[in-house]
Amino acid sequence: MRILRLILARLVASAFTLVLVSVVVVVGVQGLPGDAAARILGREAPAAARARLREELNLDGPLVGRYLHWAGGAVRGDFGTSFASRLPVAGFLGPRLLHTLALSALALLFYVPLSILPALVQARRPDGPLDRAITVVTVLILSAPEFLSATLLLFAFAVIWPLFPPMVQLTAGMGWGAYLHMLLLPAATLGLLLATYGVRLLRESLIDIHRADFVRMAEFKGLSDRRVLWRHVLPNALIPWMNATALNIAFMIGGVVVVEKVFAFPGFGSALVDALQLRDLPVITAGVMVAAAIFILVNLLADIGALLASPRLRTLG
Amino acid sequence: MRLRLPHAALRWGLAILVLHALMAGFGPLVAPYGQAQMMAGMPIEGASLAHPFGTDQMGRDVFSRALAGGWIVISLSVAGTLAGVVLGAAVGLFAGTVGGWADEVLMRLSEAFLAIPFLIFALLIVSLAGPGLQGSPGLLVGVVAAVYLPRVARMSRAAALEVVARDHVLAARLRGEGAWTIARREVLPNAIGVLLVEFAVRAGYAPILVGTLGFLGFGLKPPTPEWGLMMAEYRNLLTTQPWAVFGPGLMLATLVIGLNLFTEGLSAMASRAGPGRGP
């Protein structure tokens, strides 16, 4: 029952963080000193237009009331009306978010083998030529800005060797095959960018665990190399890897903004960037909250996963 | 990853950084063309000896522009990182020293800021700053600092917690000194090593952050030759003159590789985890 209590405590802490984020964001977006309406419309806008916008965006009145107004709508799924597109924010961001979730899911399919297989190869002969070569490649990818790596992949696979379209265009009636074709290159890019960090971490823990006593013991018992790897080394090395993966997914929420921009992918990230450029406050508030909520949720799941996976944490009070 | 010879990483990193510093400092003086000089060559020429990165739509020499961008990227990154580390250290050391509810409030607040993905947080600040400030170097320094502040605060709080248990801190408390004085006189000198490595690790990501903001249109404004912004400006030359895109990208990537190798060596010696991904 101790584990249930631990999970419950994490749940409560996460919910608290989410509420705190919403306060920070709503107050930040609405409560900054200066006239938000003037920031949106420019200082030259007529006073009447500014007043109308202030009214529409609920910018007048005390901050506490405005926060409660926003939160009351948010829990009912009502994030207001987009100031630029005149659509309800939820109805506008929802479909974009679905595209991005599809992209991310596909990216994870690339991420898992791309982060596990090189690490297994490296850990077979630490400091051998293959290990070093893979290390150099991962360090290079890690050091390059995401927009550079993504542009390089776009250049390689959409310009030099035009397997994929250089710009992602999603239409309402397109079939699954065409949809997948559009998503494949950005998803592979995202998966590859995330995988490098996982590779480095998994290599370290594979090598560490291989040196651990219980693995030595298994080897002395005469178990085959393969059996030692699959039964003893890999399962233990995958626990920190899962944690890193959670961090990576959290990072992906930011990285997706860059990848979507490079491939002109009409997803959540590009919608948020557009809103930020237009100072579309209702969309900005909702978008930042969605990103933070996903981040918190992923971290929560990783924590719970670590609790369930680790016998030591399970019994620790 | 730990290179087996930390000194080799340190040496290589230092060599690359010195080269970049020389390019940033003297590059604009010896550049073949002025960075804003139009028709330095024919428009959209490919890479050649006369134009190592080719020319752009206006016939400007991309290499000369990229050389001129070096000191901009480096000074913005250093200033932003420095501000973030100093402010973050002040908050973190104070929180760790004073403890109690102030510590609790500061840490919960930093958790809330850290829950917003850092790039989105950075874009949010630029957007909320309004059109008047957008594109100004000062705002960019502030954004880098704001992204690093909560991260550095948590690191330095952890460092402070190790120090405050020691006797000399207890002695200072018994002398009746305030938390701020203790943080400055007793805790800071003992945490300075952690903070220096922290600075190096953060500095390694700052050029990427500056470049990403430029690339997304939230950084400096054209015609500033900032590398990320240049890559965005030349995006539509990708099929005809890819050097215009990848030349500035190469400058940025090598700078970051130099910073990361340097930090890798430094942190291997200080036995702290080296640079990972992200700020």
Side-chain angles (χ1 to χ4, degrees):
Chain A
M1 281 309 95
R2 186 171 274 159
I3 185 145
L4 270 183
R5 233 184 9 241
L6 278 175
I7 291 177
L8 199 67
R10 290 291 301 123
L11 262 173
V12 171
S14 299
F16 177 75
T17 307
L18 187 64
V19 171
L20 199 57
V21 174
S22 74
V23 172
V24 167
V25 171
V26 171
V27 169
V29 168
Q30 302 213 338
L32 275 185
D35 188 352
R39 274 204 303 277
I40 295 167
L41 297 174
R43 267 176 234 295
E44 303 80 28
R50 290 211 306 246
R52 211 174 323 120
L53 184 65
R54 296 177 61 81
E55 163 124 31
E56 185 188 334
L57 292 178
N58 187 32
L59 285 177
D60 291 312
L63 217 44
V64 178
R66 281 191 268 155
Y67 174 75
L68 291 178
H69 177 87
W70 180 88
V75 292
R76 281 181 281 115
D78 172 16
F79 292 92
T81 306
S82 161
F83 159 72
S85 69
R86 316 300 315 174
L87 292 167
V89 173
F92 166 71
L93 276 182
R96 306 285 293 254
L97 192 57
L98 281 182
H99 288 317
T100 296
L101 288 179
L103 177 70
S104 309
L106 202 55
L108 274 183
L109 285 186
F110 282 99
Y111 168 82
V112 172
L114 280 177
S115 65
I116 293 182
L117 293 179
L120 283 174
V121 170
Q122 287 185 294
R124 263 180 89 87
R125 275 192 196 82
D127 295 320
L130 258 178
D131 176 31
R132 285 177 186 214
I134 295 176
T135 296
V136 169
V137 172
T138 51
V139 169
L140 284 180
I141 299 177
L142 263 180
S143 292
E146 293 83 24
F147 59 88
L148 175 61
S149 320
T151 309
L152 270 171
L153 286 169
L154 175 84
F155 184 62
F157 295 107
V159 176
I160 300 269
W161 193 19
L163 292 176
F164 300 98
M167 277 177 74
V168 174
Q169 277 160 333
L170 304 177
T171 47
M174 74 196 300
W176 281 105
Y179 188 70
L180 202 64
H181 185 232
M182 284 286 176
L183 258 58
L184 220 46
L185 186 56
T189 304
L190 200 52
L192 178 71
L193 291 179
L194 298 178
T196 48
Y197 186 62
V199 170
R200 278 168 55 124
L201 185 118
L202 192 58
R203 172 191 177 272
E204 295 278 303
S205 46
L206 279 173
I207 292 174
D208 279 353
I209 290 168
H210 223 281
R211 294 202 190 103
D213 288 341
F214 72 94
V215 175
R216 286 280 165 82
M217 188 64 205
E219 283 173 343
F220 291 149
K221 272 197 310 192
L223 293 184
S224 70
D225 280 358
R226 176 169 305 202
R227 202 175 156 77
V228 169
L229 178 69
W230 286 105
R231 285 293 299 274
H232 296 281
V233 178
L234 201 55
N236 282 291
L238 281 180
I239 294 175
W241 176 81
M242 268 163 50
N243 247 315
T245 300
L247 276 178
N248 272 329
I249 293 177
F251 178 80
M252 180 150 76
I253 308 163
V256 97
V257 169
V258 172
V259 171
E260 286 188 7
K261 168 86 177 176
V262 170
F263 293 97
F265 184 89
F268 170 76
S270 51
L272 184 55
V273 169
D274 290 346
L276 285 159
Q277 221 130 32
L278 296 168
R279 275 174 265 279
D280 190 344
L281 297 185
V283 179
I284 292 175
T285 313
V288 174
M289 282 314 296
V290 167
I294 295 174
F295 183 94
I296 292 171
L297 183 69
V298 170
N299 276 304
L300 175 68
L301 291 178
D303 280 359
I304 293 177
L307 278 176
L308 295 176
S310 151
R312 194 172 52 85
L313 276 174
R314 235 180 354 227
T315 48
L316 222 79
Chain B
M1 180 218 53
R2 193 135 298 167
L3 290 184
R4 284 187 317 135
L5 277 173
H7 300 290
L10 201 65
R11 217 177 309 135
W12 275 102
L14 207 57
I16 297 176
L17 288 185
V18 167
L19 189 67
H20 258 288
L22 288 176
M23 279 198 294
F26 299 106
L29 302 177
V30 299
Y33 304 95
Q35 56 120 335
Q37 183 188 342
M38 300 203 194
M39 297 313 283
M42 294 304 287
I44 318 186
E45 259 183 70
S48 64
L49 275 179
H51 304 285
F53 294 162
T55 59
D56 67 6
Q57 302 95 321
M58 289 182 256
R60 288 179 297 186
D61 180 50
V62 178
F63 183 63
S64 302
R65 292 198 75 206
L67 278 181
W71 75 271
I72 299 174
V73 175
I74 293 174
S75 55
L76 285 179
S77 304
V78 171
T81 310
L82 195 64
V85 171
V86 168
L87 294 175
V91 171
L93 294 182
F94 174 76
T97 309
V98 72
W101 65 267
D103 177 37
E104 190 72 18
V105 167
L106 285 172
M107 285 307 111
R108 290 296 150 272
L109 213 54
S110 75
E111 243 161 58
F113 279 110
L114 290 177
I116 305 172
F118 71 90
L119 183 57
I120 292 175
F121 181 55
L123 297 175
L124 181 66
I125 298 175
V126 176
S127 172
L128 293 181
L133 283 173
Q134 237 174 60
S136 74
L139 176 64
L140 220 48
V141 170
V143 169
V144 175
V147 167
Y148 286 164
L149 200 161
R151 291 172 169 78
V152 177
R154 292 186 78 82
M155 282 294 298
S156 27
R157 174 181 177 267
L161 286 183
E162 275 176 35
V163 182
V164 290
R166 296 187 196 160
D167 287 342
H168 62 98
V169 178
L170 185 64
R173 275 198 214 284
L174 293 177
R175 284 199 299 273
E177 285 175 15
W180 186 236
T181 317
I182 297 178
R184 199 159 42 85
R185 287 218 198 118
E186 312 290 336
V187 182
L188 176 63
N190 287 292
I192 202 84
V194 175
L195 290 177
L196 282 179
V197 176
E198 189 75 354
F199 175 79
V201 171
R202 308 289 169 191
Y205 194 79
I208 297 187
L209 187 54
V210 170
T212 305
L213 290 174
F215 184 77
L216 293 174
F218 285 74
L220 300 173
K221 292 273 172 270
T224 318
E226 188 270 303
W227 298 330
L229 175 62
M230 286 174 74
M231 285 187 66
E233 277 183 289
Y234 295 149
R235 251 180 68 87
N236 48 6
L237 297 184
L238 196 58
T239 46
T240 47
Q241 215 286 73
W243 273 107
V245 179
F246 294 121
L250 189 70
M251 301 284 276
L252 181 51
T254 49
L255 174 64
V256 175
I257 288 171
L259 285 165
N260 280 350
L261 280 175
F262 178 72
T263 311
E264 190 87 51
L266 203 68
S267 54
M269 294 202 301
S271 70
R272 176 205 191 276
R277 180 181 286 293

